[in-house]
Amino acid sequence: TVYGVVYNEVNLGLANAKILITDYDKPEVHEAFSQTNEDGEFLICGLKPKKYWISASKEGYFLPQKIPLELT
């Protein structure tokens, strides 16, 4: 299970940001999608233990391209 919060530039939760988790070795393989709630929170369940990339996006915002994520 992956839980996280996406924040905007004034450190408030960013609603309706799209979350994408991809395979670490094959980033073109999409493993999971989600969207943040009104408080910027998201929850993704059912991923297998391994390495992934996670990214967030929302029109009008600059967010890091992708961040490594390892589930154990």
Side-chain angles (χ1 to χ4, degrees):
T1 299
V2 178
Y3 166 81
V5 181
V6 178
Y7 294 101
N8 66 14
E9 67 278 358
V10 292
N11 214 29
L12 296 174
L14 185 60
N16 301 315
K18 295 182 184 343
I19 307 300
L20 173 62
I21 295 183
T22 60
D23 185 274
Y24 188 84
D25 295 318
K26 298 177 187 171
E28 69 278 4
V29 176
H30 297 176
E31 299 280 353
F33 296 95
S34 188
Q35 187 168 319
T36 60
N37 66 13
E38 63 276 359
D39 296 318
E41 301 171 307
F42 65 92
L43 183 67
I44 298 173
C45 301
L47 293 170
K48 296 178 183 176
K50 66 177 192 173
K51 290 177 81 174
Y52 298 94
W53 291 106
I54 186 169
S55 61
S57 62
K58 183 170 182 178
E59 189 173 332
Y61 290 86
F62 174 77
L63 301 167
Q65 290 292 332
K66 56 186 176 181
I67 300 168
L69 169 70
E70 186 166 3
L71 300 181
T72 55

